[in-house]
């Protein structure tokens, strides 16, 4: 109450708040006394949290830490996991030693942006799909490299034709993803690659069965199966996007915000062209980045650095 008294000067209101905090709570029909804190979910809890945590806001601003807070829920952002751990330890000490608060260890943690959720909102979606696409490129490249090495178990007569088909297959996979944003050309190349999978499988199976030992079927065939599965998974991830309805809803929300902002400006005197242009620019950039992030092969955000992995692998197949 001492910190509340710094903000609230009315003695009657302070007594009312004190009585409210000491009134107790009903738990399954039984009245229980409240010794400290505020009732969970009570109507005064967000207001009291804002008053109490105002000192935390000032402390974080003094440290230059980017953060967001709503009542007693807040998130602090850092550039690395190591920095986030250090900030969490420091802020926890401040809350417990300076503000005399209890920090819930089950709800306080360090997470990446892909796992971050705040008040029901998260940064997953396009970001997690972008990370998944990068991981799938690495995964497919590794599986192709493994299958290529295991061709060595075949006799020379069977190995050479399969190696030629492998090179053609990898060239087709590279060409398919380079064809974007020409979707028709990319789909055609992916179709040719899928047809080559059948030819490679049939020829490899024939060569493996003809061997006097089972090393071909045990080592080569599972590697080929993994290679084809990874290619299918990567192709499916390429086509996974937000429904058009979500984009339409986002645009509708932007239009509503623009109408409300414009209506508010009409009652505030002369219009500020700086605010009008700034608002339009920020909204436009936001929509562009979201769309570009969702379709990384059609705009300025690309996967070229990871595509290079398969190109390098192809060069090693010479």
């Amino acid at each position: 109450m001492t910190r509340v008294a710094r903000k609230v000067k009315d003695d009657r209101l302070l007594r009312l708040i004190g009585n409210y905090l000491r009134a107790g709570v009903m738990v399954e029909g039984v009245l229980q006394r409240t010794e400290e804190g505020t009732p969970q979910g009570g109507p005064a809890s967000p207001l009291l949290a804002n008053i109490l945590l105002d000192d935390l806001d000032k402390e974080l601003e003094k440290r230059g830490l980017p953060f967001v807070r709503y009542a007693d829920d807040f998130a602090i952002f850092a550039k690395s996991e190591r920095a986030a751990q250090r900030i969490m330890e420091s802020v926890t000490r401040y809350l417990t030693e300076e503000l005399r608060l209890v920090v819930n260890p089950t709800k306080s943690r360090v997470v990446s942006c892909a796992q971050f959720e705040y008040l029901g909102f998260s940064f997953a979606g396009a970001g997690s799909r972008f990370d998944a696409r990068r991981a799938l490129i690495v995964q497919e490249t590794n599986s192709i490299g493994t299958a290529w090495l295991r061709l060595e178990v075949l006799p020379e007569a069977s190995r050479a034709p399969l190696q030629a088909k492998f090179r053609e297959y990898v060239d087709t996979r590279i060409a398919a993803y380079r064809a974007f944003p020409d979707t028709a050309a990319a789909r055609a190349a992916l179709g040719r690659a899928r047809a080559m999978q059948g030819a490679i499988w049939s020829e490899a199976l024939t060569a493996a069965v003809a061997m006097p030992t089972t090393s071909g079927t045990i080592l080569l065939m599972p590697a080929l199966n993994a290679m084809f599965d990874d290619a299918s998974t990567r192709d499916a991830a390429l086509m996974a996007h937000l429904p058009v309805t979500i984009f339409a809803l986002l645009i509708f929300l932007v239009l509503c915000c623009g109408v409300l902002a414009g209506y508010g400006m009409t009652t505030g005197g002369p219009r500020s062209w700086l605010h009008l242009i700034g608002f339009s620019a920020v909204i436009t950039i936001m929509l562009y980045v979201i769309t570009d992030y969702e379709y990384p092969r059609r705009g300025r955000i690309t996967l070229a650095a990871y595509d290079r992995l398969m190109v390098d692998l192809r060069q090693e197949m010479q």
Side-chain angles (χ1 to χ4, degrees), residues 18-287:
N19 292 335
Y20 168 78
L21 294 177
R22 293 186 293 270
V25 294
M26 296 294 294
V27 179
E28 297 181 354
V30 179
L31 178 63
Q32 294 186 0
R33 293 175 57 85
T34 50
E35 302 294 339
E36 60 182 4
T38 63
Q40 182 68 28
S45 295
L47 175 61
L48 296 175
N50 284 334
I51 294 175
L52 183 59
L53 294 178
D54 183 59
D55 289 343
L56 174 65
D57 296 345
K58 291 182 171 60
E59 178 67 19
L60 296 178
E61 290 173 354
K62 184 174 68 175
R63 299 186 187 184
L65 297 174
F67 72 97
V68 59
R69 183 177 67 80
Y70 180 83
D72 60 347
D73 291 322
F74 64 92
I76 306 173
F77 303 94
K79 293 183 178 180
S80 67
E81 182 178 357
R82 186 175 181 179
Q85 290 285 1
R86 186 172 62 251
I87 292 170
M88 180 176 174
E89 294 173 2
S90 174
V91 172
T92 300
R93 283 196 304 270
Y94 177 82
L95 290 172
T96 55
E97 296 175 5
E98 298 292 332
L99 300 185
R100 307 289 183 179
L101 296 175
V102 177
V103 178
N104 189 335
T106 61
K107 294 183 178 180
S108 305
R109 62 191 186 279
V110 173
V111 297
S112 66
C113 288
Q115 301 171 315
F116 176 67
E117 183 174 338
Y118 185 68
L119 300 179
F121 294 90
S122 68
F123 291 104
S128 60
R129 282 189 291 274
F130 184 82
D131 292 338
R133 291 179 184 121
R134 292 191 301 186
L136 288 173
I137 295 173
V138 177
Q139 186 174 328
E140 184 187 8
T141 303
N142 289 337
S143 63
I144 292 175
T146 300
W148 172 263
L149 292 175
R150 293 189 181 183
L151 289 177
E152 296 295 328
V153 303
L154 298 177
E156 176 62 29
S158 303
R159 187 195 318 146
L162 267 174
Q163 287 177 334
K165 284 184 169 60
F166 255 67
R167 296 186 186 98
E168 184 181 1
Y169 172 76
V170 174
D171 287 339
T172 305
R173 294 287 298 175
I174 293 173
Y177 283 89
R178 281 180 173 174
F180 284 98
D182 188 344
T183 306
R187 288 181 181 274
L190 291 175
R192 292 194 300 271
R194 284 191 291 270
M196 292 179 189
Q197 290 177 358
I200 291 173
W201 179 267
S202 297
E203 189 168 334
L205 182 60
T206 301
V209 171
M211 293 178 61
T213 65
T214 59
S215 58
T217 54
I218 293 176
L219 296 176
L220 178 59
M221 303 314 295
L224 289 177
N225 186 66
M227 181 179 79
F228 299 152
D229 286 347
D230 290 341
S232 299
T233 304
R234 183 183 173 192
D235 295 343
L238 178 69
M239 306 303 174
H241 298 292
L242 285 175
V244 177
T245 305
I246 300 299
F247 281 103
L249 182 63
L250 180 62
I251 294 174
F252 176 75
L253 179 63
V254 168
L255 292 176
C256 289
C257 291
V259 170
L260 293 175
Y263 180 79
M265 289 181 181
T266 59
T267 60
R271 296 182 181 179
S272 171
W273 285 103
L274 178 62
H275 290 163
L276 289 173
I277 296 174
F279 177 81
S280 302
V282 168
I283 294 298
T284 302
I285 293 172
M286 179 196 70
L287 289 175

